[in-house]
Amino acid sequence: VAFPKRKIRLLSNFSVTFSIISVLTGITTLYGTGLEFGGPVAMVYGWPIAGTFTIIVGLAMAEICSAYPTSGGLYFWSARLCSERRWGPFASWLTGWFNIVGQWAVTTSVDFSLAQLIQVIILLSTGGNNGGGYLASKYVVIAFHAAILLSHALINSLPISWLSFFGQFAAAWNMLGVFVLMIAVPAVATERASAKFVFTHLNTDNSAGIHNNLYIFVLGLLMSQYTLTGYDASAHMTEETKNADKNGPIGIISAISISIVVGWGYILGITFAVKEIPYLLSPDNEAGGYAIAEVFYLAFKSRYGSGVGGIVCLGIVAVAIYFCGMSSVTSNSRMVYAFSRDGAMPLSPVWHKVNKHEVPINAVWLSAFVSLCMALPSLGSLVAFQAMVSIATIGLYIAYALPIFFRVTLARKHFVPGPFNLGRYGVLVGWVAVLWVVTITVLFSLPVTYPVTKDTLNYTPVAVGGLFILVLTSWVVSARHWFKGPVTNLSG
């Protein structure tokens, strides 16, 4: 199956990745987590800390992307980097499955968080939590989620030129939306937080029974690290990108860098409009405990006597999240397409078909379907959904770290860099990146509530460990006999 000719320019490649990172999505969705664990200090300082290490991971990935620009991305890199040691097929299998499941979890958590936000927008628009507003049930939320995924699959079935247009529109919307919100919300609020509060207040008062300041700060990092994921999209789009060995890496680095700057501005702007943290997190407030929605709503209500402006602001965020989910499906489908092209998935011939518009159509619909199934555990408990967010963060980061680890170990002597390279700092940057991923994997597996019971257990290690066991078992039982690694050629 021949993949499309290279039609995408650097701007489109950047746009897809920027709208997947989508600071409006990650920060808005997990702002309550940030407020509860550490509050302003955890967010204002946690963001640049997570951002700095994310740039390091991104640089290490960009260097490898420049050497091997292919839509398989990470798993292709792992195979190439281990080719001297016969570990190639196994390395490729492990990386590919962590990447693909991590991506599906990202799409699930993004679209599910949009469904939850729509629930809050409807609640506030119909009178709020205390004014008889309509609170959609968990079944209605799942129905929203399904409808959103359906629309994303339909959009991703359009020709690539359409996707390119939507991607650029999404990037512009994300950029403008962040600036509008970070200026409008604190400007409208009648009472603003002091600079002392924003830059020095560590919120240690949480419902989780955790009192160690460092522990609280670390849990608050999840918001930043969850937001700063998904930038492997630039690598997955390389086979459709012109001058991919330069533009792929530039797409990765520029999307992360710009996201860090505007994301920090957004965190600062919104936090200046924060007053009483316990009230914002209380399930009895107008937004039913959705912290950032309450911040927006109160800011406008205090000034104009009505929270309509706050609901409009939430609408701006909802559109950004919508495009984030759309771009996630794009990235997912390219990964499924490439992985099945190499025969790594059940029913591979089905998933790597492209239609007359050169779109991997079956891969698009498979990704949407899997993401719908992954949200179903939320009907049982939201703890299960939290595990999804963590798999999205950790599963993806493990997939990022594997090729980097092989680059600094097995391939240290024979790695041939592309036009974008870090020179003699490549190995150092690679090791720092790998150690950071190990660190966050441990941190996000820690319990987030004490005492630990079956309802409060952090299921991340169970979920990620379960995925590892499944991937390993399938390799030992079956795949090692037939999976020979990527069979793609790097031409074009």
Side-chain angles (χ1 to χ4, degrees):
V1 180
F3 209 62
K5 299 164 205 66
R6 298 184 188 275
K7 294 178 179 171
I8 294 183
R9 297 180 186 281
L10 172 60
L11 181 64
S12 298
N13 183 298
F14 158 81
S15 299
V16 168
T17 304
F18 183 72
S19 50
I20 288 183
I21 295 177
S22 181
V23 290
L24 280 179
T25 301
I27 294 172
T28 306
T29 309
L30 289 183
Y31 193 79
T33 308
L35 271 187
E36 183 167 9
F37 296 110
V41 163
M43 295 190 284
V44 169
Y45 300 105
W47 181 264
I49 291 170
T52 303
F53 284 107
T54 302
I55 277 278
I56 290 171
V57 175
L59 281 167
M61 279 170 59
E63 183 180 53
I64 305 172
C65 178
S66 182
Y68 313 119
T70 159
S71 66
L74 312 169
Y75 82 91
F76 183 91
W77 306 346
S78 286
R80 259 316 152 85
L81 293 165
C82 296
S83 58
E84 305 280 313
R85 302 288 178 97
R86 297 206 312 277
W87 285 100
F90 174 65
S92 170
W93 180 260
L94 192 62
T95 309
W97 278 109
F98 265 97
N99 192 4
I100 215 162
V101 175
Q103 281 193 340
W104 281 332
V106 166
T107 305
T108 306
S109 62
V110 167
D111 281 3
F112 190 78
S113 61
L114 176 56
Q116 287 177 310
L117 182 60
I118 291 171
Q119 175 193 35
V120 174
I121 290 173
I122 293 171
L123 174 67
L124 290 172
S125 306
T126 52
N129 198 23
N130 302 319
Y134 170 74
L135 183 66
S137 71
K138 60 188 178 182
Y139 299 103
V140 175
V141 173
I142 276 285
F144 289 158
H145 178 73
I148 294 161
L149 277 167
L150 176 67
S151 70
H152 284 157
L154 288 168
I155 291 174
N156 273 284
S157 304
L158 297 169
I160 192 78
S161 53
W162 280 86
L163 274 182
S164 189
F165 166 75
F166 280 128
Q168 288 176 38
F169 178 79
W173 184 277
N174 264 289
M175 193 78 87
L176 285 171
V178 167
F179 284 109
V180 167
L181 295 178
M182 72 196 222
I183 294 163
V185 175
V188 165
T190 48
E191 289 177 61
R192 277 185 280 285
S194 65
K196 182 174 183 242
F197 173 83
V198 172
F199 291 104
T200 65
H201 181 69
L202 180 73
N203 178 36
T204 54
D205 175 29
N206 55 61
S207 58
I210 296 171
H211 306 296
N212 178 304
N213 289 359
L214 181 62
Y215 195 171
I216 289 171
F217 181 82
V218 158
L219 291 176
L221 274 179
L222 179 63
M223 177 195 84
S224 305
Q225 202 59 74
Y226 166 72
T227 305
L228 296 168
T229 49
Y231 43 86
D232 53 321
S234 282
H236 297 301
M237 301 295 285
T238 46
E239 285 185 33
E240 298 158 84
T241 304
K242 297 177 177 179
N243 301 328
D245 54 354
K246 295 193 190 76
N247 289 343
I250 294 170
I252 293 173
I253 300 303
S254 56
I256 299 172
S257 309
I258 294 170
S259 295
I260 289 170
V261 175
V262 295
W264 203 52
Y266 183 50
I267 289 171
L268 286 173
I270 301 304
T271 308
F272 269 107
V274 166
K275 296 194 287 289
E276 301 160 39
I277 293 177
Y279 179 70
L280 294 177
L281 294 169
S282 160
D284 299 328
N285 66 27
E286 291 296 344
Y290 197 111
I292 206 161
E294 188 69 19
V295 173
F296 291 1
Y297 190 74
L298 286 179
F300 281 86
K301 195 163 186 190
S302 66
R303 171 81 60 181
Y304 302 112
S306 150
V308 172
I311 298 170
V312 171
C313 287
L314 290 174
I316 293 174
V317 175
V319 173
I321 300 179
Y322 183 81
F323 281 121
C324 176
M326 180 200 80
S327 299
S328 289
V329 174
T330 308
S331 183
N332 276 188
S333 60
R334 297 321 186 255
M335 174 68 202
V336 170
Y337 163 83
F339 211 36
S340 57
R341 175 175 62 182
D342 297 324
M345 295 184 66
L347 303 175
S348 280
V350 177
W351 312 127
H352 78 98
K353 277 196 169 64
V354 291
N355 67 7
K356 65 177 190 289
H357 298 304
E358 302 180 324
V359 172
I361 188 98
N362 295 351
V364 167
W365 287 88
L366 174 70
S367 294
F369 178 71
V370 173
S371 296
L372 175 62
C373 296
M374 282 176 118
L376 295 177
S378 69
L379 294 172
S381 91
L382 276 174
V383 177
F385 175 67
Q386 287 300 335
M388 249 337 124
V389 176
S390 301
I391 291 186
T393 309
I394 295 183
L396 265 188
Y397 267 96
I398 289 172
Y400 294 177
L402 286 167
I404 300 171
F405 176 70
F406 301 136
R407 145 85 178 93
V408 295
T409 52
L410 298 177
R412 189 170 173 176
K413 298 276 191 287
H414 69 264
F415 176 70
V416 181
F420 178 95
N421 64 79
L422 305 172
R424 59 184 180 183
Y425 297 108
V427 173
L428 174 66
V429 169
W431 273 116
V432 175
V434 170
L435 290 172
W436 176 245
V437 175
V438 171
T439 307
I440 60 174
T441 303
V442 173
L443 297 183
F444 298 157
S445 299
L446 296 170
V448 288
T449 312
Y450 288 88
V452 178
T453 65
K454 71 172 177 32
D455 293 324
T456 61
L457 177 70
N458 182 349
Y459 285 96
T460 307
V462 181
V464 176
L467 174 61
F468 181 71
I469 291 165
L470 274 173
V471 172
L472 206 58
T473 308
S474 61
W475 174 258
V476 173
V477 172
S478 168
R480 68 193 172 100
H481 300 299
W482 51 265
F483 183 65
K484 301 285 181 266
V487 290
T488 51
N489 57 342
L490 277 176
S491 61

